[in-house]
């Protein structure tokens, strides 16, 4: 038996649907409260400029420390100008000083409490308008007019466009209220000039805010795009390495299957247990080959075509160097140590690393000389590919370097099998637990040094 409970909503204040106009007005009032009333006098000091900023970094030596306070000094200078304008009244110096302080304090307050400075500026305007009632301007005296414009500008720069819009709206309400309530004595009203100039300044500040936010968003998007591109490049390079190693692993597994199938025939009257063991080995090798082909199908691109030739090794390096020389690169080869046959995966990776390093030399240093050094040591294989700095374009001989002719735009043709530069080389070295360093040389060239560990036969047997 199932018991069902029905819940009925009783119409009331909680479930009442308000009109869009009422919701819009409620949202506007909520924004007004958040921007200009909530924590209006919160301590928010204006930060210093960084010494690496576009302005301070151009200053010499110790001047950079003072340049970090340039914005504070500029605001203080504006407040001093407003104070000087108020002090021009020589008939009542004490009242002029009071008016000057009412103009100076809000401007300085913008450095530490920007929103509160707006309210202090309105209060100072009221005090100044009462003191300088007969100055010929209403409701802003000349000093208050300049001070309020400075306050609106600085607060708008330090906050957001919505706060600037609310400040301009309240300034308009204040001006119209003073004109309609107390402006009947014939004094000239300066509300219209205040609203026009403040709207123009706030519009410029708003455009600056919007442009800055767009630049920040674009920078963030470019960072994300670069990260995604780097990640995609890394995945593509790993997929390429997996495809190439498939042939190497498949060859070894095929040899295991063939040897396991032929081994019983090499022994006269082999025990049944031995025959069964070799059959099991062959079945496992064939099953591994099948699964390997499935894995290759997953990482294979839609336009991928299986290579007909076997994967290259260090024995094919002379052919690679000959092709590179035909492309216009002067390259030498040096081999140290006793050359020996290495695991096919190591030789394939070494060949690709040399190929990619020489391809990068063709792209970024056309006409330069390069050198490939291969060192066979007891614990592995060492590679060093270094190129000299590229010569000046007018010194390159097109007859000797056909890949750098003006018609081809100094861009050599891409090498077959080239990956994604240093990223691909690092992936191959990391796969073999090797070490790699790459970077510019002291003479302006570039050097790639790689060590690929190769365990000896004795250690493999112990393992």
């Amino acid at each position: 038996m199932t018991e069902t409970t029905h819940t009925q909503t009783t119409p009331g204040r909680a479930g009442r649907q308000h009109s869009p106009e009422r919701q819009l007005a409620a949202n506007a009032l909520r924004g007004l409260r958040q921007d200009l009333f909530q924590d209006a006098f919160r301590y928010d000091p204006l930060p210093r400029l960084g010494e690496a900023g576009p302005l301070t970094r151009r200053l010499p030596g110790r001047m950079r420390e003072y340049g970090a306070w340039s914005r504070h000094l500029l605001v203080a200078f504006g407040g001093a100008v407003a104070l000087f304008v108020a002090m021009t009244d020589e008939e009542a110096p004490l009242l002029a000083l009071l008016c000057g302080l009412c103009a100076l304090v809000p401007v300085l307050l913008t450095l530490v409490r920007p929103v509160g400075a707006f309210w202090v500026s309105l209060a100072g305007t009221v005090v100044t308008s009462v003191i300088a009632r007969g100055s010929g301007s209403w409701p802003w005296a000349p000093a208050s007019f300049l001070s309020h414009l400075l306050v609106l500008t600085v607060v708008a720069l330090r906050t957001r466009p919505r706060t600037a819009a609310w400040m301009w709206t309240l300034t308009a309400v204040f001006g119209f209220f003073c004109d309609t309530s107390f402006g009947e004595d014939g004094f000239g009203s300066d509300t219209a000039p205040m609203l026009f100039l403040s709207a123009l300044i706030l519009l410029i500040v708003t455009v600056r805010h919007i442009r800055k936010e767009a630049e920040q968003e674009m920078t963030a998007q470019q960072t994300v795009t670069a990260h995604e591109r780097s990640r995609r490049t890394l995945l593509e390079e790993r997929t390429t390495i997996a495809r190439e190693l498939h042939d190497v692993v498949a060859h070894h597994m095929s040899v295991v299957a063939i040897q396991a199938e032929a081994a019983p025939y090499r022994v006269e009257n082999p025990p049944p247990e031995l025959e069964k063991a070799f059959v099991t080995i062959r079945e496992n090798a064939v099953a591994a080959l099948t699964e390997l082909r499935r894995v290759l199908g997953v990482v294979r691109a839609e336009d991928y075509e299986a290579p007909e030739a076997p994967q290259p090794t260090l024995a094919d390096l002379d052919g690679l160097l000959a092709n590179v020389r035909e492309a216009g690169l002067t390259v030498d080869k040096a081999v140290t140590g006793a050359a020996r046959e290495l695991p096919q995966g190591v030789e394939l990776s070494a060949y690709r690393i040399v190929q990619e390093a020489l391809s990068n030399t063709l792209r970024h240093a056309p006409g330069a000389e390069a050198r490939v050094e291969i060192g066979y040591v007891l614990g592995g294989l060492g590679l060093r590919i270094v190129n000299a700095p590229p010569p000046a374009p007018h010194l390159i001989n097109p007859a000797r370097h056909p890949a750098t002719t003006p018609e081809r735009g100094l861009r050599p043709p891409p090498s077959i099998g080239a990956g994604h530069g240093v990223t691909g080389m690092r992936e191959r070295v990391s796969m073999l637990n090797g070490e790699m360093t790459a970077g510019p040389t002291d003479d302006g060239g570039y050097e790639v040094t790689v060590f690929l560990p190769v365990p000896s036969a004795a250690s493999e047997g112990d393992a």
Side-chain angles (χ1 to χ4, degrees), residues 332-336 354 371-375 381-386 447-448 450:
D332 297 328
K333 172 187 172 185
V335 181
T336 59
V354 173
R371 180 178 176 84
V372 177
E373 298 178 1
I374 303 174
L381 177 69
L383 298 174
R384 181 173 179 266
I385 305 96
V386 60
E447 178 180 357
V448 176
V450 175

Side-chain angles (χ1 to χ4, degrees), residues 18 58 64 87 215 218 232 249 256 258 264 287 292 315 358 404:
H18 299 294
R58 299 178 181 178
R64 293 184 180 180
M87 294 294 294
E215 291 178 352
M218 182 179 298
R232 184 172 62 251
V249 178
V256 170
I258 293 173
L292 190 60
L358 295 178
T404 59

Side-chain angles (χ1 to χ4, degrees), residues 314 335-343 346 373-383 450-457:
L314 289 177
V335 181
T336 59
R340 66 183 186 276
E341 185 177 355
L342 302 175
V346 176
E373 298 178 1
I374 303 174
Y376 290 90
V377 295
L378 184 61
L381 177 69
L383 298 174
V450 175
F451 176 76
L452 302 178
V454 179
S456 61

